[in-house]
Amino acid sequence: MKWLLLLGLLALSECVIHKVPLVKKKSLRKNLIEKGLLQDYLKTHSPNPASKYFPKDAFAAESTETMENYMDAEYFGTISIGTPPQEFTVIFDTGSSNLWVPSTYCSSLACFLHKRFNPKDSSTYQATSETLSITYGTGSMTGILGYDTVKVGSIEDTNQIFGLSKTEPGITFMFAPFDGILGLGYPSIAASGATPVFDNMWNEGLVSQDLFSVYLSSDDEKGSLVMFGGIDSSYYTGSLNWVPVTQEGYWQFTLDSVTINGETIACADSCQAIIDTGTSLLAGPTSAISSIQSYIGASENLLGEGTISCSAIDSLPDVVFTINGIQYPLPASAYILKEDDDCISGFEGMNLDTSSGELWILGDVFIRQYFTVFDRANNQLGLAAAV
């Protein structure tokens, strides 16, 4: 991934609606290149990136994005924890459900390179004897659970359970431009049964509607955001199209088909997909993604990325995702990512075999094109063309 979520909150009028602006940060790729560690990272981070989406009994059910995703697009948000507040940058991740940050209990190098929460400095911190262990596709963390006030913009979420890391082994998080993760998935996938932040907000009456919405912009001036408790129609055109959630864990739904120039490239008999703000690229079954890469003329480089001539962008076709009977085209300007003088495909092969079949992950490449509402009250997703 390369472009990250930086979220801060702005209160709106008298309604309990809160906006969090998003800001881009330096990518993990650039951090690793500058420190001469990119090749080592690639060699040691080859495990299956699908780990994030495996069943809870196989892994701890929480994760951040894979190495490929982090080197593509990343968005961060700023939160604070404790009294007085200690600030952290976090990924607002709809693909997981736990909040955790580095802590002073952690001796891993990754922790010393990031801000660490000190429970002794917070007068409102409450310790527990519960532990937290999360395995990711390219790393892991262990820690303990505690309670404190978490402030997201203007929302003060009191008595919020969160993880304090004690170990963050390897280099997965070492040079990442974020401190921790704030999961926005369903409670069913929360490690150690911890109550997710948004659930606590709703339970405490801090938001007026049981939903949140996301706008990701590729333009720094427009400003990306997450809005808790409301929907701002100025960020999209037309009407919201509603899509039923098929499984309440990740934000999962039925994908009707994937087509190019009217030809079905994948998902001919429908398949399952999720909307994941924590994933930068758009991932699908390896064979299907290979067909798409071949169709658009992308070739794999030494880093395993699909590269393409930047001059070809204007002539490339839309890749169309049909969801609940509505077509959502992705133009080449959306699925080809420019980095310096290179152009990289925004599609990634990832075999995710779940109980409901193969899974597609529509990450930031898709969300930048389509304003998304995550409606917990009605277990549905709302999609509309972003402005």
Side-chain angles (χ1 to χ4, degrees):
M1 308 174 158
K2 253 183 229 155
W3 343 89
L4 281 174
L5 299 180
L6 205 2
L7 308 155
L9 270 166
L10 301 174
L12 276 188
S13 63
E14 298 176 0
C15 297
V16 191
I17 299 174
H18 307 264
K19 290 181 180 178
V20 180
L22 308 174
V23 180
K24 291 181 184 178
K25 289 275 194 164
K26 183 186 291 184
S27 71
L28 179 59
R29 169 200 289 278
K30 289 188 181 298
N31 274 320
L32 293 172
I33 289 175
E34 289 174 3
K35 296 173 175 61
L37 292 170
L38 181 59
Q39 291 302 323
D40 287 340
Y41 184 89
L42 292 171
K43 290 176 183 177
T44 59
H45 288 73
S46 58
N48 191 347
S51 304
K52 174 174 181 177
Y53 307 98
F54 287 162
K56 217 169 161 183
D57 56 357
F59 294 95
E62 298 317 314
S63 82
T64 186
E65 285 329 296
T66 63
M67 175 269 301
E68 292 86 359
N69 290 353
Y70 278 127
M71 293 197 300
D72 189 74
E74 303 162 329
Y75 294 83
F76 292 105
T78 300
I79 67 170
S80 67
I81 303 175
T83 308
Q86 301 174 44
E87 288 194 348
F88 301 91
T89 55
V90 295
I91 294 177
F92 285 72
D93 180 19
T94 59
S96 67
S97 297
N98 285 84
L99 167 62
W100 69 267
V101 295
S103 79
T104 52
Y105 298 132
C106 181
S107 57
S108 299
L109 181 56
C111 295
F112 284 100
L113 294 175
H114 291 84
K115 294 179 181 178
R116 296 187 296 163
F117 178 76
N118 189 343
K120 293 181 179 179
D121 290 342
S122 175
S123 62
T124 47
Y125 177 74
Q126 299 175 53
T128 78
S129 59
E130 298 178 78
T131 60
L132 180 68
S133 178
I134 301 175
T135 299
Y136 303 90
T138 56
S140 63
M141 65 80 66
T142 65
I144 60 172
L145 290 168
Y147 289 85
D148 212 329
T149 296
V150 174
K151 188 172 183 181
V152 186
S154 61
I155 300 179
E156 287 198 4
D157 176 19
T158 59
N159 201 38
Q160 174 63 52
I161 192 169
F162 69 104
L164 295 77
S165 76
K166 295 183 74 174
T167 68
E168 296 178 30
I171 64 173
T172 301
F173 301 118
M174 197 176 295
F175 298 112
F178 59 88
D179 301 312
I181 298 169
L182 192 156
L184 292 169
Y186 281 82
S188 63
I189 61 170
S192 298
T195 301
V197 169
F198 184 72
D199 287 77
N200 210 38
M201 287 180 179
W202 173 249
N203 294 339
E204 292 186 4
L206 302 177
V207 290
S208 58
Q209 296 184 73
D210 193 7
L211 57 78
F212 58 94
S213 48
V214 173
Y215 172 74
L216 299 186
S217 173
S218 55
D219 184 343
D220 288 334
E221 295 180 1
K222 293 180 180 178
S224 303
L225 59 84
V226 168
M227 180 186 293
F228 294 100
I231 303 169
D232 189 337
S233 60
S234 67
Y235 288 97
Y236 64 88
T237 60
S239 302
L240 286 165
N241 299 309
W242 295 99
V243 181
V245 168
T246 55
Q247 187 168 318
E248 298 171 22
Y250 307 105
W251 288 89
Q252 187 171 326
F253 59 94
T254 298
L255 175 61
D256 299 344
S257 64
V258 181
T259 59
I260 299 179
N261 289 331
E263 178 185 347
T264 300
I265 295 295
C267 203
D269 299 315
S270 83
C271 50
Q272 292 296 293
I274 67 171
I275 298 275
D276 185 0
T277 59
T279 292
S280 295
L281 303 184
L282 199 157
T286 302
S287 59
I289 295 300
S290 294
S291 296
I292 293 175
Q293 304 283 47
S294 176
Y295 205 113
I296 65 176
S299 57
E300 189 172 300
N301 63 15
L302 295 176
L303 302 181
E305 301 169 321
T307 61
I308 195 165
S309 170
C310 295
S311 62
I313 294 178
D314 292 340
S315 62
L316 293 176
D318 292 352
V319 179
V320 180
F321 293 81
T322 301
I323 303 170
N324 206 24
I326 305 295
Q327 291 189 338
Y328 297 90
L330 276 186
S333 58
Y335 65 74
I336 299 299
L337 309 174
K338 292 184 178 180
E339 181 182 327
D340 300 326
D341 297 326
D342 299 324
C343 285
I344 301 170
S345 168
F347 296 105
E348 175 185 27
M350 186 184 292
N351 291 321
L352 304 172
D353 292 320
T354 67
S355 58
S356 50
E358 293 183 327
L359 193 69
W360 287 69
I361 302 121
L362 307 192
D364 298 344
V365 165
F366 182 87
I367 302 169
R368 277 194 289 273
Q369 294 297 114
Y370 296 101
F371 179 88
T372 307
V373 179
F374 300 82
D375 185 353
R376 283 287 300 277
N378 301 294
N379 292 316
Q380 61 183 358
L381 289 155
L383 298 170
V387 295

